[in-house]
Amino acid sequence: MKCIQTTDAVGHVLCHDITRIVKDVVKDAVFRKGHIVQEEDIPLLLSMGKDHLYVWEKDADTLHEDEAAQILYEVCRNENMHPTPVKEGKIELIADCDGLFQVDVDRLDAINELDEMMIATRHNNTAVKKGDRLLGTRIIPLVIDKKKMDQAREVAGDTPLVSLTPFQPMKAGIVTTGNEVYHGRIKDTFTPVILEKLAAYGIESCGHIICDDNLKRISDAILKLKEEGADMILCTGGMSVDPDDQTPGAIKASGAQIVTYGAPVLPGAMFLMAYFDDGTPIMGLPGCVMYAKATVFDLALPRIAAGVELTKRDFSRMGNGGFCLGCNTCHYPDCGFGKGA
């Protein structure tokens, strides 16, 4: 810092907040630390009794917080998002569409371990709406060594740290299984729940087939919906190890390749994920999806709606945060369920 005449301060950076106090009117910081003094600021500063100011002396080896925040923004920025104007050394990214927000957590951690800088994001694999805030960047001090920001660029590499993938227009085929529904012994209360969850991502139903507990008929129904153009297929019920539950075997018999039968998530342990050779996803949904507000299906669906293919590792990582606490009043997604994956 150096102390200079206020009249000579145009273009210099303030090293401290300057508060204006007018009795019964205002008491607030008129100029924040980091503000670059403009010509029009001089009369106000003088009227506040500020004949001298402490300013930062810019040199070739250091960057102002605004410049550093711009670099952190640049290592994050990607399609379908835009930055806010830099304010007090901070830049945020805003979603330009509804979609799936994803973070490279390992690289994020590596940058945040460099000291004197930070990037704070939403959780990885979060469904967001257009206009949602995604992340914020800034450095901790007013100024920072250029070499540290070069190091941040190196750690980040050439690939943006985050992504926002728009939800795709899709149609879903639904296969309801179970003798009790097929023979009319009970009402199908599962399908309305599925339709509501799909609608949240703009997904419509293109077909619904009810089958009894017959492996071949279930498998044929799956293939019929696929041939009719379903972008995804959901099989409800029949997912336990009971001998009458034929859904897992029918999905396998349809020719789909099983990614996982079982997930480290409660509720939802009996979930099945598979794909056909052309990439069409097919899921076996356990009964908990019908009555629990948040299950493994709610963790998988946003990724599928964005066209992201799920792997065995994706499911194995859901165990961290995959235990629902069953709160009397459910606040999902504003809670910890699924936030570790």
Side-chain angles (χ1 to χ4, degrees), residues 6-325:
T6 298
T7 51
D8 297 330
V10 174
H12 288 273
V13 178
L14 292 178
C15 291
H16 55 94
D17 292 350
I18 296 179
T19 300
R20 183 187 182 202
I21 301 175
V22 178
K23 187 177 183 298
D24 300 326
V25 177
V26 66
K27 179 183 179 182
D28 195 12
V30 179
F31 301 106
R32 298 285 184 183
K33 178 187 72 173
H35 175 72
I36 299 173
V37 180
Q38 307 297 314
E39 185 71 44
E40 58 268 26
D41 299 335
I42 303 302
L44 179 56
L45 288 165
L46 292 174
S47 73
M48 297 166 61
K50 300 297 181 183
D51 292 327
H52 299 84
L53 298 172
Y54 281 106
V55 297
W56 168 53
E57 292 187 89
K58 185 173 176 61
D59 62 56
D61 297 322
T62 55
L63 294 173
H64 179 254
E65 62 180 353
D66 289 354
E67 298 171 301
Q70 179 71 23
I71 292 171
L72 293 176
Y73 150 68
E74 288 170 358
V75 305
C76 293
R77 69 177 175 187
N78 208 334
E79 297 176 330
N80 306 313
M81 56 187 75
H82 70 271
T84 59
V86 62
K87 182 179 179 182
E88 297 174 13
K90 181 174 69 175
I91 296 176
E92 295 185 354
L93 279 173
I94 310 298
D96 289 333
C97 65
D98 295 0
L100 177 71
F101 177 66
Q102 294 182 294
V103 182
D104 188 320
V105 178
D106 290 339
R107 286 191 293 141
L108 173 68
D109 291 346
I111 289 177
N112 284 330
E113 288 171 359
L114 293 177
D115 291 330
E116 295 191 322
M117 65 187 73
M118 56 76 64
I119 302 172
T121 75
R122 282 178 177 255
H123 283 287
N124 186 25
N125 292 313
T126 298
V128 299
K129 296 287 188 181
K130 181 179 180 180
D132 281 351
R133 299 158 66 208
L134 304 176
L135 62 83
T137 74
R138 71 171 304 158
I139 61 167
I140 307 306
L142 175 64
V143 297
I144 193 169
D145 193 314
K146 269 188 177 180
K147 291 180 181 178
K148 293 216 72 168
M149 299 314 300
D150 290 340
Q151 189 178 3
R153 282 195 179 104
E154 183 178 347
V155 169
D158 298 328
T159 306
L161 210 63
V162 300
S163 64
L164 177 56
T165 306
F167 295 130
Q168 300 180 359
M170 302 179 79
K171 293 184 178 181
I174 301 173
V175 179
T176 298
T177 68
N179 289 335
E180 66 278 20
V181 177
Y182 181 78
H183 292 294
R185 298 169 190 156
I186 66 169
K187 183 180 179 181
D188 174 19
T189 56
F190 208 146
T191 302
V193 173
I194 300 305
L195 292 175
E196 183 178 356
K197 289 182 180 291
L198 293 174
Y201 299 96
I203 302 170
E204 300 177 350
S205 169
C206 64
H208 178 210
I209 301 174
I210 301 176
C211 296
D212 60 356
D213 291 315
N214 180 285
L215 189 148
K216 186 176 188 307
R217 278 194 280 271
I218 298 171
S219 181
D220 288 345
I222 291 169
L223 292 173
K224 183 175 187 295
L225 290 169
K226 185 176 183 302
E227 290 167 6
E228 292 175 351
D231 299 304
M232 69 169 71
I233 298 169
L234 306 173
C235 299
T236 67
M239 290 302 301
S240 77
V241 295
D242 189 294
D244 288 333
D245 288 343
Q246 301 293 322
T247 304
I251 292 173
K252 185 175 181 179
S254 72
Q257 301 299 309
I258 307 295
V259 173
T260 185
Y261 176 27
V265 179
L266 290 173
M270 303 304 291
F271 180 84
L272 186 150
M273 183 81 233
Y275 288 92
F276 287 97
D277 289 341
D278 64 358
T280 302
I282 176 169
M283 286 160 276
L285 306 184
C288 62
V289 176
M290 177 171 54
Y291 60 82
K293 182 170 182 182
T295 71
V296 65
F297 183 50
D298 297 282
L299 305 184
L301 184 57
R303 305 186 213 186
I304 293 165
V308 175
E309 185 167 330
L310 288 157
T311 66
K312 177 70 173 177
R313 176 167 170 75
D314 289 324
F315 285 99
S316 66
R317 296 185 70 182
M318 289 182 184
N320 178 23
F323 182 62
C324 176
L325 299 180

